Amino acid sequence: MTFITRFAPSPTGPLHLGHSYSALLASDMAAAEGGHFLLRIEDIDRFRCRANWEEQIYDDLTWLGLTWPEPVMRQSSRVSTYEKALKTLWSQGLLYPCTCNRREIAAAAGAPQEGVPLHGPDGIIYPGTCRHVSERSGPIPQDLPLRLDIEVAARVVPDLFRTAAQPYTKTAVFEETGAGPEGETGPVTFTADELRDTIGDVVLSRRDMGTSYHLSVVLDDAAQGVTHVVRGQDLFEATPIHVLLQALLGLPTPVYHHHKLIRDDAGKRLAKRDDARAISKYRADGISAEQVRAMVGL
Ligand code: GLU
Ligand code: ZN
């Protein structure tokens, strides 16, 4: 099997040191395996993405010495694929509309013992307010956010949580060759109940987008034939939802390699808008691509 990986930035700001680590590592791993390094532009958020940032991405990555096959996949050109997948899930009764805003979700989630509502990969875990009141039949609603009913999904998904002997309680697994935030590596297992309790009913179709990060990423990785996903540890927690979506949509699950996050001098993760560590800034300051490599430990 040919090793295929990708770097999938969103053109919402300048790439910084953390991005250079992610892209260089993925490209190095592909080269070491005699495989391919692909680029994908994650531009589903049309309010935050800008053409000039996309141009800057190509520029920065080229300066770093990276190459990738053309044409580059851009999520904005894949709307019909996302629509089709949503229709499939809708027709199985796995989605429901929900217009609850952040404030309503926080209020409904309440404050458990420790005083902070439980958080999942998308923020506060949705308490399920609309799960049993929203209409799930008829044509798929347009322009309404749609959530995945994770418990029903876990019950109907073929193979992931079920065997003939265990129709729901089987443990799902994905292979991790890097590490999660707690050092999770090797086969990482999770149960349907853990999915429900630590992730909840995530939004699969956002208003104004007609998709979401979770839905697009699994469809695009499959369409690009990605065998190894190399990305930051901050996305480790979202991986079980990706594995569930792959099973629901009949897509293969790649191997995952979550890598360390590059931190600033105070130990804080680099923010998207950390312009001080923008690749273009180092470049303007006369730093070489080799020096950037050394700075991130490659
Ligand atoms: N577009 C995502 C980001 O900019 C990366 C998604 C992924 O690698 O799965 O963080
Ligand atoms: Zn709601």
Side-chain angles (χ1 to χ4, degrees), residues 179-254:
E182 312 284 333
E184 301 91 336
T185 193
V188 175
T189 57
F190 59 95
T191 63
D193 286 349
E194 281 165 5
L195 258 191
R196 183 196 59 204
D197 298 341
T198 64
I199 293 185
D201 293 354
V202 289
V203 173
L204 284 195
S205 182
R206 298 193 174 274
R207 202 200 291 275
D208 300 322
M209 273 194 214
T211 184
S212 60
Y213 160 64
H214 301 303
L215 182 70
S216 294
V217 83
V218 300
L219 288 164
D220 298 345
D221 281 337
Q224 289 191 297
V226 169
T227 61
H228 291 72
V229 170
V230 178
R231 63 185 180 190
Q233 239 162 34
D234 53 324
L235 291 168
F236 179 82
E237 313 277 305
T239 309
I241 185 79
H242 299 170
V243 174
L244 172 68
L245 288 172
Q246 284 148 1
L248 284 170
L249 296 167
L251 308 171
T253 292

Side-chain angles (χ1 to χ4, degrees), residues 96-101 104-105 126 128-131 134 147:
Y96 60 88
C98 164
T99 54
C100 297
N101 62 32
E104 290 163 337
I105 293 171
Y126 180 68
T129 320
C130 299
R131 188 182 301 140
S134 287
R147 288 186 181 273

Side-chain angles (χ1 to χ4, degrees), residues 135-208:
E135 188 61 57
R136 295 195 196 190
S137 55
I140 187 164
Q142 301 297 320
D143 296 324
L144 283 184
L146 300 174
R147 288 186 181 273
L148 176 69
D149 185 327
I150 208 152
E151 188 158 12
V152 175
R155 287 185 189 279
V156 304
V157 68
D159 303 329
L160 196 60
F161 296 113
R162 48 195 315 140
T163 60
Q166 298 172 289
Y168 183 65
T169 53
K170 187 186 147 207
T171 302
V173 66
F174 66 89
E175 194 188 335
E176 172 67 56
T177 62
E182 312 284 333
E184 301 91 336
T185 193
V188 175
T189 57
F190 59 95
T191 63
D193 286 349
E194 281 165 5
L195 258 191
R196 183 196 59 204
D197 298 341
T198 64
I199 293 185
D201 293 354
V202 289
V203 173
L204 284 195
S205 182
R206 298 193 174 274
R207 202 200 291 275
D208 300 322

Side-chain angles (χ1 to χ4, degrees), residues 6-12 15 19 22 40-43 75 213 217-218 221 229-232 234-235 238 242 256 258-259 269 272:
R6 57 23 174 219
F7 176 56
S10 301
T12 55
L15 296 188
H19 295 108
S22 204
R40 178 168 79 233
I41 300 295
E42 304 219 317
D43 58 349
Q75 291 187 324
Y213 160 64
V217 83
V218 300
D221 281 337
V229 170
V230 178
R231 63 185 180 190
D234 53 324
L235 291 168
H242 299 170
Y256 285 89
H258 290 93
H259 60 67
R269 197 185 137 198
K272 203 128 218 169

